[in-house]
Amino acid sequence: MQSATRKDKSRWRRYLANERAEAAVYRELAARREGEERAILLALAEAEGRHAAHWIELLGDEAKGLPEADLRTRVLGGLARRFGSIFVLALAQRAEARSPYADDPDATPAMAADERIHGEVVRSLAARGRRRLSGTFRAAVFGANDGLVSNLALVLGIGATGVATEVVLFSGIAGLLAGALSMGAGEYVSVRSQRELLEASTPDPAAHDALPDLDLEANELALVYRARGMSEDDAIARAERTLARVHATGSSHGVLTTPTGSVTATDDDDEAIGTGLSAALSSFCFFASGAIIPVLPYLFGLTGFVAVAVAVVLVSIALIITGAVVGVLSGASPLKRAMRQLAIGLGAALVTYVLGLAFGTTIG
């Protein structure tokens, strides 16, 4: 290697600081986990330690007095210490995907490959958390967004007709209550129905008792596997092996477990959907929390254009926050998701406001 320049050493020192900080993030997360997840996170921290050793070797005696890690890594560390949540894993997933090692001649190919694989490892860990909260989180996000947009549109549309401020206020409160109750009831029915559909697809435990008496020649079990998505040849082969084991051991436990590629209910499905009550409560509460925001200016006595402007600003801030949260948890760009949420929400409200103006003019 050619003699390192001051710029090279500065870059190596920054890499070293980041690797140490990232290793600390994974250790902080591991401290809040148990079992396999804890072991995986500690292994990631160990890998970051190997990368740090590479930069220490290149820097030699100059591997001291390191600069602070970059802002992204410091934020991750702070979140890991305080929360250790799915948010941190989602942010870490994006951070691993932006590793500069693939284009840096001083990083080894193995280090670049490690960072790429780390992104997939973190993605998988984050996916576990997303499955655990996706049902309730979906209801919460949809509820908050619907409350923000629908009640802002209602308030602006009613206000644009020129009616009294009291009418706008009570219309907003009525919209909040009606929407929250409707969303809560709708989520409960939706989630309960989905869970019942999945439960109807779950293998009947009582069917296991019939397996020892099945005719080995007819092999009816193959029809079960074929109905669940396996090819005829694969289903027959699996059924023959399964029945042979049942007759040899006398145990039929787990025989009707879903074959790979078929679709039946699983524990992961139940986690992803959530419960009807939790989805309903989340949807009700978050719709109400979103729907109250456009009404706040009128509750505090503001009127006319000032009330409209304040309502739009408050809702815009809330839309940006909800969009950014969705972006973080989905591993996508928080800014893009926030801007998309803002554009859709304000666009819907603008249409309603224009219609209210037109309607008010017609009445007048």
Side-chain angles (χ1 to χ4, degrees):
M1 180 183 294
Q2 296 179 346
S3 178
T5 65
R6 183 179 296 274
K7 185 176 180 180
D8 289 334
K9 292 180 180 180
S10 175
R11 187 176 72 257
W12 297 346
R13 287 159 59 83
R14 188 173 67 254
Y15 286 161
L16 175 55
N18 286 341
E19 292 289 3
R20 286 177 170 172
E22 287 169 7
V25 168
Y26 290 131
R27 284 193 293 270
E28 291 281 356
L29 290 173
R32 297 171 178 266
R33 297 292 197 278
E34 296 178 353
E36 187 68 10
E37 287 192 24
R38 175 183 174 86
I40 291 170
L41 289 165
L42 290 175
L44 288 174
E46 183 179 346
E48 302 295 357
R50 291 196 302 271
H51 296 175
H54 172 80
W55 302 119
I56 291 174
E57 182 179 353
L58 290 182
L59 286 166
D61 294 336
E62 296 186 45
K64 301 175 182 177
L66 298 177
E68 283 190 317
D70 60 34
L71 178 61
R72 166 182 53 82
T73 306
R74 296 203 305 274
V75 169
L76 279 177
L79 290 173
R81 284 189 293 274
R82 288 168 176 78
F83 303 107
S85 68
I86 177 61
F87 288 92
V88 181
L89 285 172
L91 289 169
Q93 175 185 325
R94 285 180 53 78
E96 294 286 3
R98 291 196 298 262
S99 172
Y101 289 169
D103 301 318
D104 195 308
D106 298 319
T108 67
M111 291 169 63
D114 281 351
E115 294 296 316
R116 178 71 65 180
I117 295 301
H118 288 178
E120 293 305 308
V121 174
V122 175
R123 184 194 305 275
S124 298
L125 290 175
R128 295 185 182 188
R130 290 184 183 113
R131 282 196 298 270
R132 285 193 288 266
L133 62 77
S134 60
T136 302
F137 177 73
R138 174 182 60 82
V141 170
F142 287 170
N145 189 69
D146 285 352
L148 288 164
V149 175
S150 65
N151 228 30
L152 177 65
L154 174 64
V155 167
L156 295 189
I158 294 293
T161 64
V163 299
T165 301
E166 291 79 7
V167 175
V168 179
L169 173 60
F170 288 118
S171 296
I173 294 174
L176 183 158
L177 293 174
L181 290 170
S182 175
M183 287 288 293
E187 279 294 335
Y188 181 82
V189 171
S190 174
V191 172
R192 285 296 304 168
S193 298
Q194 193 169 358
R195 290 181 69 90
E196 287 165 1
L197 287 172
L198 286 173
E199 288 168 2
S201 301
T202 303
D204 182 2
H208 289 87
D209 298 335
L211 294 177
D213 297 323
L214 283 179
D215 187 341
L216 288 175
E217 298 298 327
N219 204 347
E220 298 291 325
L221 184 57
L223 297 179
V224 176
Y225 293 144
R226 289 171 62 185
R228 293 183 182 173
M230 296 185 76
S231 68
E232 182 177 1
D233 291 341
D234 289 343
I236 291 174
R238 178 180 175 127
E240 289 176 347
R241 293 194 304 270
T242 298
L243 287 178
R245 188 174 73 250
V246 169
H247 284 275
T249 64
S251 172
S252 59
H253 178 71
V255 167
L256 294 181
T257 299
T258 305
T260 302
S262 63
V263 181
T264 60
T266 65
D267 290 340
D268 285 344
D269 292 327
D270 290 340
E271 281 188 344
I273 296 171
T275 66
L277 183 59
S278 65
L281 288 175
S282 295
S283 187
F284 178 91
C285 294
F286 279 89
F287 184 98
S289 65
I292 192 64
I293 291 177
V295 182
L296 288 176
Y298 298 92
L299 285 174
F300 284 96
L302 299 181
T303 60
F305 178 78
V306 175
V308 170
V310 172
V312 170
V313 170
L314 292 176
V315 170
S316 297
I317 294 171
L319 287 171
I320 289 172
I321 292 173
T322 58
V325 169
V326 172
V328 168
L329 286 177
S330 64
S333 168
L335 179 60
K336 288 182 179 179
R337 293 296 185 273
M339 292 300 102
R340 183 182 68 181
Q341 202 97 328
L342 179 65
I344 293 173
L346 292 188
L350 177 61
V351 170
T352 311
Y353 184 70
V354 171
L355 289 175
L357 287 175
F359 186 71
T361 301
T362 303
I363 295 298

